[in-house]
Amino acid sequence: DAEPRTDSRLHIVTVTPTPGVVFLAGPADWDSRFLYRTLREVSQLPVRGFLRLDGSRWRSMTDLRPVSTEEVRRAARRADLLVLKGGVDQMAQGSSARGIWSWPSGESGETQIPGDWYLTAGDAAPLASAFLGQPVDWFPPAIQLAPTNPAPGSWVALSAQLGRRGPLRPAVFGRQEGRLRSVTVVADGLWRWAFRGGSSEQTYRSWVAATASWLLGGVDPAQGRA
């Protein structure tokens, strides 16, 4: 057209070696399987997953090819978002991730109370929009819970009640400390939300997407040259 000043645009692109989201599970279970699949579907970042099988041996969650422990550690150190399912916390040492999603399942000695744990959404958490208008307390219950007292300053996204009776216990909670954001899930069996389909599956997907978005909203430590 006659206006030459709109003929071009300048885009700044930062290139960094980060793999985006790294998922570590040890050992593998249904929660890790459904969470990994959902993360790949709702995330706009590359997602790499690793399973610890046969003791200390690791395999890729994509094709089950063997990978070295050093490769897993290297991916964890470079991740933007690091997801830890089970007893794999030691792999997070030295990580520069801005978000840590921890999901202990008793492999490190945590007390687990089995039962039908029905969940209730909180209204003050950053993840509250994922459960808005959904009958969370009628979704399939969690199958066990690790009693945990969140650190001061934490918010609670989901609380659990055994058999819909007794006190409410934190099931999903998070906090921000400095530049690092963290979310902890101490309830197992949430994969049944996704397996059931319908509104519970959509709420599960919304929760995963909202959690990943909030965790990635922290300060980006990556530095690169355009």
Side-chain angles (χ1 to χ4, degrees), residues 9-15 224-226:
R9 291 290 184 269
L10 177 64
H11 299 274
I12 302 300
V13 179
T14 301
V15 181
R225 292 181 294 179

Side-chain angles (χ1 to χ4, degrees), residues 18-140:
T18 174
V21 180
V22 173
F23 187 108
L24 306 183
D29 59 11
W30 286 104
D31 274 311
S32 61
R33 179 177 180 177
F34 276 84
L35 181 59
Y36 174 68
R37 186 187 70 180
T38 305
L39 270 172
R40 294 188 64 181
E41 293 174 351
V42 304
S43 174
Q44 296 184 8
L45 288 172
V47 180
R48 298 178 62 188
F50 302 95
L51 292 172
R52 190 180 64 194
L53 302 173
D54 303 327
S56 60
R57 298 179 182 178
W58 290 88
R59 292 182 178 269
S60 169
M61 294 183 73
T62 303
D63 53 11
L64 292 182
R65 66 174 178 85
V67 294
S68 66
T69 302
E70 180 54 34
E71 181 179 347
V72 177
R73 291 186 183 276
R74 184 165 56 249
R77 286 195 298 265
R78 295 177 175 178
D80 283 321
L81 169 57
L82 184 58
V83 185
L84 306 171
K85 178 68 174 72
V88 295
D89 289 352
Q90 73 279 4
M91 304 300 292
Q93 296 178 0
S95 175
S96 60
R98 68 181 105 166
I100 301 290
W101 191 346
S102 299
W103 198 317
S105 302
E107 291 81 5
S108 300
E110 302 91 354
T111 300
Q112 298 287 329
I113 302 177
D116 290 335
W117 291 92
Y118 289 88
L119 301 174
T120 302
D123 55 3
L127 313 182
S129 60
F131 312 110
L132 191 64
Q134 298 297 332
V136 175
D137 55 337
W138 289 101
F139 291 167

Side-chain angles (χ1 to χ4, degrees), residues 206-220:
S206 297
W207 168 62
V208 172
T211 302
S213 295
W214 183 81
L215 288 170
L216 288 167
V219 177
D220 188 353

Side-chain angles (χ1 to χ4, degrees), residues 150-196:
S154 300
W155 45 260
V156 177
L158 288 173
S159 300
Q161 191 176 36
L162 183 59
R164 293 199 177 96
R165 296 185 297 272
L168 288 172
R169 298 177 181 268
V172 178
F173 52 89
R175 67 191 305 260
Q176 180 168 355
E177 187 174 5
R179 70 167 187 84
L180 179 64
R181 292 185 173 188
S182 62
V183 170
T184 303
V185 182
V186 294
D188 280 337
L190 297 184
W191 66 270
R192 299 197 294 174
W193 286 19
F195 184 78
R196 183 179 182 180

